[in-house]
């Protein structure tokens, strides 16, 4: 996420490291590189210039504390200004109304239909709502089918009227269906176009007037950069939408849209899409995003994702098993499944401070656990419960069954044994022993 921008800002801010004080000369040199990094990320030139002027004004107006280096102070100022530029505080979604009506808008290919499903899944699981998805894209082939597939995947009902070509009538009928069947949120997926045109804008405007939604959200493909910002302005002039959704942030995103869009349309970014899975949706926190752009990680989001997968009852059972030395490969497999649900591995690693920079050139496969899972699934239930019975002949069979080598099976067994010992020691408060053990493993 924003790797190129992060690298360039890091190099720009590195200019001040080693300097004893902030001067007009070294600030100008640093901010020249910062402005260049923002322009390369497809941030609007005017916004980039205003941003660096604000940073310069603050930097030259502050005395450096004795505990801070000039470089550290500049990083803090840049972080604060980036946070402010992207919206300052996180904005929630308006769920007033019975039912709450959410209208999705945007260009074709921006990820509207998929995100409608993600939003429905988010509201169902995290806000305990009963959403209804309404298919109002009457032009794109298989658009209605796509929404039905998404609805089935997440267990959310989809309303559609295949014989009707009037999206206004479909949206009204969808809301009536929601009221009659106890749905408290209606998400209306509208048609997109390849470019902004008068017919499209008139249609979305008519839907908006007819249904009076509590939330109108504009979906943006974050990989389109400055073009997305210009499109957002056109839509906002017609719809006066309430917030922006940034999709495909897990891709090769330069970051221009995320940084510029609030400034141009004066509407907050409310959610971001960070992957293809239905769970890959996050509330947009400007301060956390600024941290990630500057390579500081995002520990809070990482902890929140971990907590979402945490099951207190399962944790208690696991503790008892560890205490009785009964932790087996079935338990290990459950832990892997929980980690996988948290998101793609590279994104998770990028949330750990300092690790993002180290991992930028490392390609982490989303199927990194596949080999481990294959080995475990090739074991018998008895072997998974009692790994100590796995002898040479069993290792050969497991290796053949999983498409791996005996060496890989041995490696997993060794790592599993070490991990089990550590978990047992941690339960007994043996922190020092764990540290000694880890040194011995290096």
């Amino acid at each position: 996420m924003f790797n190129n921008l992060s690298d360039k800002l890091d190099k720009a801010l590195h200019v001040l490291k080693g300097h004893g004080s902030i001067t007009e000369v070294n600030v100008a040199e640093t901010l020249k590189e910062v402005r260049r990094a923002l322009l390369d990320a497809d941030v609007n030139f005017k916004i980039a210039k205003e941003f660096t002027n604000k940073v310069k004004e603050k930097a030259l107006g502050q005395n450096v504390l004795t505990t801070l280096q000039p470089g550290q102070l500049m990083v803090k100022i840049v972080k604060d200004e980036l946070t402010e530029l992207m919206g300052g505080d996180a904005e929630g979604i308006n769920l007033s109304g019975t039912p709450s009506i959410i209208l999705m808008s945007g260009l074709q290919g921006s990820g509207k239909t998929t995100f409608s499903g993600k939003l429905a899944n988010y509201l169902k699981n995290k806000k305990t709502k009963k959403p209804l998805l309404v298919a109002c894209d009457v032009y794109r082939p298989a658009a209605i089918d796509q929404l039905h597939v998404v609805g089935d995947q997440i267990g959310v009902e989809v309303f559609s009227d295949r014989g009707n070509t009037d999206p206004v009538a479909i949206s009204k009928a969808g809301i009536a269906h929601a009221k009659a069947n106890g749905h408290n949120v209606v998400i209306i997926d509208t048609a997109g176009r390849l470019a902004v045109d008068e017919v499209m804008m008139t249609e979305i405007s008519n839907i908006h007037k007819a249904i009076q939604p509590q939330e109108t959200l504009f979906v943006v493909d974050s990989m389109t950069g400055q073009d997305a910002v210009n499109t957002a302005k056109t839509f906002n002039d017609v719809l006066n939408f309430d917030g922006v959704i940034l999709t495909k942030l897990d891709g090769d995103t330069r970051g221009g849209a995320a940084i510029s869009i609030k400034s141009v349309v004066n509407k907050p970014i409310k959610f971001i899409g960070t992957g293809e899975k239905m769970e890959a949706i996050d509330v947009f926190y400007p301060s956390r995003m600024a941290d990630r752009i500057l390579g500081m990680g995002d520990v809070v989001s990482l902890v929140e994702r971990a907590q979402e997968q945490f099951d207190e009852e399962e944790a208690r059972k696991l503790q008892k098993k560890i205490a009785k030395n009964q932790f087996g490969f079935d338990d290990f497999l459950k832990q892997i499944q929980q980690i996988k649900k948290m998101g793609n591995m590279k994104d998770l690693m990028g949330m750990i401070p300092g690790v993002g920079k180290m991992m930028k050139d490392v390609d982490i496969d989303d199927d990194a656990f596949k080999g481990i899972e294959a080995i475990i699934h090739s074991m018998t239930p008895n072997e998974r419960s009692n790994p100590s019975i796995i002898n040479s002949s069993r290792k050969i069979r497991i290796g053949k069954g999983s498409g791996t080598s005996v060496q890989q099976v041995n490696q997993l067994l060794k790592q599993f044994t070490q991990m089990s010992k550590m978990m047992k020691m941690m339960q007994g408060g043996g922190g020092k022993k764990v540290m000694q053990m880890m040194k011995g493993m290096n």
Side-chain angles (χ1 to χ4, degrees):
M1 199 187 283
F2 306 152
N3 283 344
N4 287 339
L5 176 59
S6 296
D7 288 347
K8 284 171 183 172
L9 284 175
D10 186 50
K11 283 172 188 168
L13 294 166
H14 197 75
V15 172
L16 270 177
K17 286 180 181 173
H19 286 268
S21 60
I22 287 180
T23 66
E24 199 148 348
V25 175
N26 58 35
V27 163
E29 192 183 347
T30 299
L31 292 181
K32 181 184 170 187
E33 293 303 316
V34 168
R35 184 159 58 242
R36 189 175 290 165
L38 293 172
L39 293 174
D40 283 347
D42 210 10
V43 174
N44 177 284
F45 174 77
K46 188 182 169 191
I47 292 169
K49 192 177 179 185
E50 284 174 3
F51 176 82
T52 49
N53 284 345
K54 279 184 183 177
V55 173
K56 182 181 177 181
E57 192 181 310
K58 285 197 174 181
L60 293 174
Q62 287 197 31
N63 294 319
V64 182
L65 298 168
T66 52
T67 52
L68 280 180
Q69 297 294 322
Q72 291 170 329
L73 181 63
M74 183 60 92
V75 167
K76 186 191 179 302
I77 294 168
V78 169
K79 188 232 169 187
D80 290 346
E81 287 303 314
L82 263 180
T83 301
E84 198 56 40
L85 188 61
M86 291 189 287
D89 298 316
E91 293 266 354
I93 191 164
N94 180 7
L95 294 174
S96 61
T98 312
S100 308
I101 302 166
I102 301 168
L103 179 65
M104 308 297 283
S105 62
L107 291 183
Q108 191 173 310
S110 61
K112 255 192 334 297
T113 302
T114 303
F115 200 88
S116 296
K118 287 182 180 181
L119 184 58
N121 190 50
Y122 169 85
L123 293 173
K124 176 189 167 187
N125 294 323
K126 295 188 183 175
K127 300 290 180 184
T128 60
K129 296 290 181 182
K130 188 186 177 186
L132 174 75
L133 287 162
V134 179
C136 285
D137 186 346
V138 294
Y139 306 103
R140 187 165 61 88
I144 295 170
D145 291 334
Q146 185 191 348
L147 198 63
H148 274 282
V149 168
V150 167
D152 289 342
Q153 192 181 335
I154 59 174
V156 169
E157 188 185 346
V158 176
F159 177 88
S160 61
D161 186 353
R162 292 177 190 272
N164 198 337
T165 56
D166 180 3
V168 174
I170 296 169
S171 58
K172 282 182 170 179
I175 294 164
H177 178 85
K179 287 177 179 175
N181 291 276
H183 295 278
N184 46 23
V185 178
V186 180
I187 300 170
I188 296 173
D189 179 37
T190 61
R193 296 287 191 280
L194 293 172
V196 174
D197 61 42
E198 198 175 328
V199 176
M200 175 195 185
M201 299 315 290
T202 302
E203 182 183 285
I204 192 86
S205 179
N206 288 341
I207 296 171
H208 189 269
K209 284 172 189 168
I211 64 172
Q212 296 290 304
Q214 275 73 38
E215 282 277 338
T216 303
L217 300 174
F218 177 69
V219 183
V220 175
D221 178 348
S222 58
M223 291 198 281
T224 54
Q226 199 52 45
D227 194 41
V229 179
N230 298 332
T231 308
K233 191 175 186 311
T234 308
F235 267 83
N236 193 48
D237 290 344
V238 173
L239 285 178
N240 190 26
F241 56 71
D242 301 292
V244 177
I245 307 290
L246 283 182
T247 62
K248 305 177 190 177
L249 269 177
D250 57 318
D252 185 20
T253 306
R254 286 189 288 174
I259 292 169
S260 308
I261 209 158
K262 169 71 168 69
S263 222
V264 173
V265 296
N266 196 29
K267 296 292 165 68
I269 300 168
K270 295 204 170 188
F271 292 97
I272 54 174
T274 55
E276 293 178 8
K277 293 177 183 174
M278 284 294 121
E279 296 78 22
I281 170 176
D282 287 326
V283 174
F284 183 76
Y285 291 91
S287 62
R288 297 185 195 179
M289 189 56 71
D291 279 342
R292 294 186 72 173
I293 289 171
L294 293 170
M296 297 174 186
D298 183 1
V299 176
V300 179
S301 292
L302 183 62
V303 169
E304 283 178 355
R305 285 200 196 181
Q307 283 175 333
E308 282 166 21
Q309 303 307 323
F310 178 77
D311 185 322
E312 207 170 329
E313 185 56 36
E314 281 294 318
R316 270 199 293 269
K317 286 179 185 174
L318 196 62
Q319 273 187 323
K320 285 178 183 175
K321 282 190 173 185
I322 294 165
K324 293 177 182 176
N325 219 17
Q326 292 174 350
F327 182 77
F329 273 109
D330 282 321
D331 305 303
F332 186 47
L333 205 54
K334 281 182 187 173
Q335 302 306 306
I336 289 173
Q337 300 304 328
Q338 285 185 333
I339 292 167
K340 284 170 75 176
K341 283 180 187 173
M342 285 169 65
N344 76 68
M345 288 305 294
K346 194 155 189 176
D347 188 34
L348 292 176
M349 298 295 273
M351 290 181 177
I352 303 168
V355 174
K357 289 178 194 174
M358 288 158 48
M359 304 301 294
K360 66 180 168 63
D361 297 321
V362 180
D363 188 30
I364 302 175
D365 192 351
D366 269 352
D367 292 327
F369 292 115
K370 233 176 190 172
I372 294 170
E373 288 174 299
I375 292 171
I376 296 170
H377 284 304
S378 296
M379 296 175 185
T380 64
N382 192 26
E383 286 167 348
R384 289 202 290 268
S385 300
N386 306 289
S388 58
I389 69 168
I390 301 174
N391 56 23
S392 299
S393 61
R394 288 175 186 262
K395 288 173 186 175
I396 292 167
R397 192 203 75 245
I398 291 165
K400 284 179 180 176
S402 59
T404 58
S405 65
V406 173
Q407 285 87 349
Q408 286 170 295
V409 175
N410 278 329
Q411 189 181 11
L412 177 60
L413 288 167
K414 184 184 175 184
Q415 287 170 341
F416 178 78
T417 303
Q418 289 171 335
M419 188 186 71
S420 300
K421 283 179 183 174
M422 277 188 203
M423 290 167 86
K424 179 87 172 166
M425 283 181 189
M426 290 302 281
Q427 266 209 331
K432 286 183 181 177
K433 285 183 182 177
V434 171
M435 292 304 291
Q436 286 167 0
M437 194 174 182
M438 288 178 77
K439 284 176 186 174
M441 285 165 62
N442 292 335

